[in-house]
């Protein structure tokens, strides 16, 4: 029987648009816009200037802090500009614009060939850092940091998140089908870095072909593949840990507090590429989909490709979209322009039609309790939204466990009053963080 968790919702997954669409390698764009900030943590500092010639895989913005990750050129060509450009998460951000020279030349020495088993955990971790790898499920936390738990944290298990529970998105699904060997190798490398012998890959049961592919790849290894009930947010770290390991991350805690590190499918593929071939993270599989897209696809796109170009590669719009979102519809971020570039964490580009959305005016909370019943974290989202709306941010944090919210959006999905619950929660978190920074 497939494993699950309390609460959660069952939205129409809309994955049929692209679930059977294999990953397409496409022509690279005439220019890329590469933000210097593509991860949680300190932004990078440009190490190139306008007029410089660069090659694919070359560092163009370097990390100056531990919680950061270097940024590499995704094409070869000429740096034509370094200035503020739209950013899918931060609004705007300094970006390095490279004009394609048509050669697509690698930096000297890349790619190379290495046997990952010949290196120790510290060397492997350094390869990951040099490659600029971040969490590719959307969170974008620098992977080398996540793979370096403090000495007092005893980690004994790696969980690979193959749930891909967000509606519409199928990038991880296709990666598991088409690159199962790389997924497995990346998982084994990550386990060696962490020094653990137990690895579990969790996949929702609506992907039976991916479950079969990963089980075949994992034959003869210690890695277990577990079928998970199809329910949102099955792929959230804390719910995944509870379901697979029956361990509960404490309030305000992290997965490593219960001896676990969670990685995304795309992330471990990037780890395999970096360690075995020295290839930095300069491209990723992105699902471009939605009712407004003419030909939804799973595309292998260079970092810095604009949303506009990605949609053009899918035949453009067949109708005017009512909303553009980076990521999935539950946790993704609405975008204001198609000039926004793809970053390392762009798992999906959604162009939603009127038929894809259910919108309406926000009304007062009617105390129905649906949000409480569906919250996978056992919170009271209705109270958190009311406190956020009334600027009682500290009370939300201290009395209603604000920081335990994973912002999955299940509460918004079931709310009959169409309350902007997650937006109020995000506001409260931001205000509490600002207050803490002042102190």
């Amino acid at each position: 029987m497939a494993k699950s968790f309390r609460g959660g919702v069952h939205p129409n997954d809309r994955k049929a648009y692209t679930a059977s669409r294999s990953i397409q390698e496409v022509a690279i764009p005439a220019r890329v816009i590469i933000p210097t900030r593509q991860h949680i943590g300190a932004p990078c500092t440009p190490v190139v200037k306008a007029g410089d010639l660069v090659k694919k895989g070359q560092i163009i913005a370097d990390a100056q802090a531990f919680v950061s990750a270097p940024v590499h050129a995704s094409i070869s060509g000429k740096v034509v500009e370094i200035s503020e450009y739209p950013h899918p998460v931060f609004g705007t951000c300094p970006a390095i614009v490279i004009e394609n020279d048509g050669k697509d030349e690698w930096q000297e020495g890349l790619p190379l060939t290495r046997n990952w088993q010949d290196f120790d955990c510290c060397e492997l971790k350094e390869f990951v850092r040099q490659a600029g790898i971040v969490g590719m499920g959307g969170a974008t936390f620098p992977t080398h940091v996540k793979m370096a738990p403090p000495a007092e944290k005893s980690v004994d298990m790696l969980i690979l998140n193959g749930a891909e529970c967000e509606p519409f998105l199928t990038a991880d699904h296709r990666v598991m089908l088409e690159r199962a060997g790389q997924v497995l190798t990346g998982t084994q490398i990550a386990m060696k870095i962490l020094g653990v012998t137990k690895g579990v890959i969790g996949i929702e049961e609506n992907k039976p072909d991916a479950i079969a592919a990963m089980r075949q790849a994992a034959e003869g290894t210690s890695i277990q593949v577990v079928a998970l009930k199809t329910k949102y947010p099955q792929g959230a770290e804390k719910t995944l840990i509870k379901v697979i390991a029956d361990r509960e991350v404490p309030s305000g805690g992290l997965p490593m507090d219960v001896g676990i590190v969670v990685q995304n499918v795309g992330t471990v593929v990037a780890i395999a590429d970096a360690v075995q071939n020295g290839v930095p993270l300069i491209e990723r599989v992105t699902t471009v989909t939605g009712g407004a897209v003419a030909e939804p696809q799973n595309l292998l796109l260079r970092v810095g490709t604009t949303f506009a170009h990605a949609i053009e590669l899918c035949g453009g719009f067949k109708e005017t979209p009512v909303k553009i979102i980076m990521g999935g519809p539950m946790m993704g971020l609405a975008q204001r322009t198609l000039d926004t570039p793809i970053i390392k964490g762009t798992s999906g580009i959604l162009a939603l039609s009127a038929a894809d959305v259910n919108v309406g005016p926000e009304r007062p909370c009617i105390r129905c309790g649906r949000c409480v019943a569906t919250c996978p974290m056992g919170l009271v989202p209705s109270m958190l939204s009311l406190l956020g709306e009334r600027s009682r941010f500290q009370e939300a944090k201290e009395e209603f466990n604000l920081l335990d919210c994973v912002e999955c959006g299940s509460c918004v999905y079931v709310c009959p009053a169409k309350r902007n619950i997650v937006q109020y929660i995000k506001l409260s978190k931001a205000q509490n963080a600002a207050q803490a920074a002042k102190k």
Side-chain angles (χ1 to χ4, degrees):
M1 182 176 178
K3 297 185 176 182
S4 188
F5 57 95
R6 73 168 293 281
V9 293
H10 296 271
N12 184 333
D13 66 21
R14 309 289 180 92
K15 293 180 184 286
Y17 282 127
T18 55
S20 62
R21 300 275 187 163
S22 60
I23 299 166
Q24 299 297 310
E25 293 193 35
V26 295
I28 59 177
R31 70 170 194 164
V32 290
I33 302 167
I34 304 179
T36 57
R37 188 174 185 182
Q38 301 202 36
H39 51 268
I40 292 174
C44 291
T45 302
V47 294
V48 294
K49 62 184 184 302
D52 285 355
L53 299 178
V54 297
K55 292 186 178 180
K56 182 171 63 171
Q58 177 180 334
I59 291 179
I60 56 174
D62 210 356
Q64 305 296 318
F66 177 60
V67 185
S68 189
V71 175
H72 303 75
S74 60
I75 63 173
S76 62
K78 183 179 181 180
V79 177
V80 295
E81 185 184 7
I82 301 177
S83 60
E84 290 283 322
Y85 270 85
H87 191 286
V89 178
F90 303 112
T92 62
C93 172
I96 299 166
V97 182
I98 304 174
E99 190 176 79
N100 186 359
D101 62 8
K103 300 177 182 177
D104 204 31
E105 286 185 304
W106 280 105
Q107 182 185 22
E108 287 77 7
L110 295 180
L112 47 79
T113 301
R114 287 190 289 231
N115 182 350
W116 65 270
Q117 294 174 321
D118 293 339
F119 301 92
D120 63 30
C121 61
C122 293
E123 292 170 316
L124 295 173
K125 196 186 314 175
E126 178 59 15
F127 295 151
V128 170
R129 187 200 69 78
Q130 291 172 356
I133 298 174
V134 303
M136 294 172 68
T140 67
F141 193 80
T143 301
H144 69 280
V145 180
K146 196 172 186 178
M147 302 292 279
E152 67 271 16
K153 306 290 184 183
S154 180
V155 173
D156 63 3
M157 182 189 298
L158 172 72
I159 293 179
L160 187 65
N161 184 356
E164 198 167 42
C165 58
E166 275 269 14
F168 290 94
L169 303 185
T170 58
D172 286 350
H173 183 180
R174 295 309 310 181
V175 166
M176 288 186 286
L177 284 179
E178 300 178 42
R179 303 179 179 181
Q182 285 179 289
V183 173
L184 186 76
T185 299
T187 302
Q188 292 174 311
I189 293 170
M191 289 171 65
K192 182 170 182 177
I193 292 173
L194 290 167
V196 302
T197 57
K198 187 167 186 180
V200 181
I201 303 173
I203 307 171
E204 280 193 328
E205 60 185 355
N206 64 350
K207 308 174 187 64
D209 49 358
I211 292 171
M214 290 313 307
R215 281 181 172 162
Q216 183 178 2
E219 282 183 7
T221 74
S222 64
I223 297 170
Q224 180 185 6
V225 178
V226 175
L228 308 172
K229 187 174 180 179
T230 302
K231 183 168 66 166
Y232 181 86
Q234 188 73 259
E237 277 193 341
K238 292 181 180 180
T239 55
L240 201 59
I241 289 168
K242 177 63 178 174
V243 168
I244 290 177
D246 196 24
R247 302 180 195 178
E248 195 161 324
V249 178
S251 178
L254 296 170
M256 64 179 66
D257 294 326
V258 293
I260 293 173
V261 168
V262 180
Q263 291 290 0
N264 169 264
V265 165
T267 308
V268 296
V269 169
I271 288 174
D273 284 342
V275 171
Q276 293 183 302
N277 305 117
V279 173
L281 179 49
I282 60 169
E283 61 185 7
R284 65 154 299 136
V285 179
T286 300
T287 302
V288 184
T289 186
V293 178
E295 300 173 13
Q297 299 280 349
N298 292 298
L299 303 179
L300 183 63
L301 297 171
R302 301 291 174 90
V303 170
T305 303
T306 64
F307 282 30
H309 184 69
I311 290 167
E312 284 175 15
L313 292 169
C314 294
F317 294 129
K318 64 181 181 181
E319 62 180 275
T320 302
V322 297
K323 185 170 285 190
I324 303 291
I325 295 175
M326 183 189 82
M330 301 295 284
M331 294 185 71
L333 299 174
Q335 302 297 309
R336 59 186 174 84
T337 174
L338 293 176
D339 293 331
T340 301
I342 286 163
I343 60 172
K344 297 173 183 179
T346 305
S347 56
I349 298 172
L350 306 190
L352 303 182
S353 65
D356 290 328
V357 300
N358 178 18
V359 297
E362 182 181 47
R363 299 187 296 274
C365 175
I366 62 172
R367 309 299 202 279
C368 67
R370 293 183 188 179
C371 62
V372 178
T374 60
C375 179
M377 301 309 297
L379 305 177
V380 186
S382 54
M383 279 302 300
L384 290 171
S385 79
L386 291 168
L387 292 171
E389 187 178 22
R390 290 161 174 73
S391 299
R392 291 159 66 176
F393 309 122
Q394 193 71 18
E395 186 177 344
K397 177 183 175 183
E398 294 178 356
E399 297 187 27
F400 289 90
N401 298 321
L402 168 73
L403 300 184
D404 285 343
C405 173
V406 297
E407 302 173 17
C408 70
S410 296
C411 52
V412 179
Y413 182 80
V414 300
C415 179
K418 300 189 184 300
R419 302 273 300 162
N420 295 311
I421 301 172
V422 172
Q423 285 75 12
Y424 290 126
I425 288 172
K426 287 184 176 181
L427 174 64
S428 297
K429 287 184 177 181
Q431 292 297 321
N432 274 289
Q435 207 53 37
K438 286 181 182 178
K439 291 179 182 179

